[in-house]
Amino acid sequence: MDNLCSDMSDTHPLSQAIIAGKRKEIPALVQECLDAGESAQFIVESRLVSAMAVVGEKFKNNEIFVPEMLIAARAMKEALKLLEPMLVEAGVKPEFNAVIGTVEGDLHDIGKNLVAMMWKGANIDVIDLGVNVPPAKFVEAIRENNAKLVGLSALLTTTMPAMRETVKAIREAGLAAKIMIGGAPITTEYANEIGADGYAADAGSAVDAAMSLLRS
Ligand code: B1M
């Protein structure tokens, strides 16, 4: 059991516990990684995200089904709950604000939550609208909060058109907010095609992309 936290693969005990959905084991395993000197960001990127990739692969190959995917997601959320305070710097007045949400028809929120966390850590005040957010709700939240940035997340190819509709609604409302999109099926080409201002492949690059949009 020594050097528990030194390997980089999804065979790591924390990754395995996520894959198996063993939520009760998560706090101790996260603590072991922290005790071994791993940063919260490293744990997210190298232990948790890789575990969810395995879950997705198993689902695709019919080795697991929706209930198993759901309990894996719950275990992942348990870990994120513990790591969030470490990812978010407290007590500094936010320099910018942003609205974020998962588009209409889509219930996936783990990636969106990670982006929200990273944005908060970068001193952005984040208004999180949750999942299954209709275009009109994005428009309303941007207007009410005078948001400078809006983030749209989609994990399903079938909800990509809802992203296009949301961009259209924001543009038609004449709002000045910069629009950034992301999620597993999303590409830079798609962002250009639907008229978004930016795209990020992961939560880490979502910070750089947000900053360059906010400062432009
Ligand atoms: Co879903 N699901 N799911 N699922 N699920 C996928 C996405 C899928 C790829 C699995 C597969 O087949 N291999 C597949 C989509 C196929 C497709 O569209 N081509 C799929 C399917 C089919 C479905 C259902 C239709 C299954 C069914 O019911 N038959 C159903 C749809 C429900 C709905 O939304 N209406 C469904 C349901 C679910 C659960 C509810 C069980 C659960 C979600 C729980 C939750 O989110 N609270 C779930 C899960 C867990 C997954 C997988 C396994 C993991 C997703 C995840 O959390 N990844 C997923 C397979 C996979 O992705 N490998 C899958 C970890 C997360 C950190 O990554 O979300 O990609 P991700 O976020 C990344 C980047 O994409 C990026 O940064 C994040 C961090 O680096 N990013 C952004 C995300 N948003 C961003 C926004 C930005 C910038 C970057 O700017 C604003």
Side-chain angles (χ1 to χ4, degrees), residues 56 59 69 105 107-111 151 153 155-157 182-184 200-203:
F59 178 75
M69 199 152 71
L107 302 176
H108 296 85
D109 67 355
I110 296 174
S153 180
L155 262 286
L156 300 170
T157 46
D202 54 60

Side-chain angles (χ1 to χ4, degrees), residues 150-172:
V150 57
L152 312 179
S153 180
L155 262 286
L156 300 170
T157 46
T158 49
T159 55
M160 288 168 70
M163 204 169 235
R164 183 192 291 273
E165 288 307 310
T166 307
V167 171
K168 191 163 162 252
I170 295 167
R171 298 297 185 217
E172 282 176 1

Side-chain angles (χ1 to χ4, degrees), residues 48-49 52-57 59-60 66-67 69-70 72-73 76-77 100-101 105-112 114-115 119 131 150-159 180-185 199-204 206:
L48 310 186
V49 172
M52 290 315 277
V54 173
V55 172
E57 210 39 44
F59 178 75
K60 203 166 69 187
V66 173
M69 199 152 71
L70 205 51
M76 169 105 174
K77 284 188 171 182
I100 195 167
D106 202 319
L107 302 176
H108 296 85
D109 67 355
I110 296 174
K112 182 264 299 166
L114 273 175
V115 174
W119 282 2
V131 297
V150 57
L152 312 179
S153 180
L155 262 286
L156 300 170
T157 46
T158 49
T159 55
M180 187 169 137
I181 67 171
Y199 157 77
D202 54 60

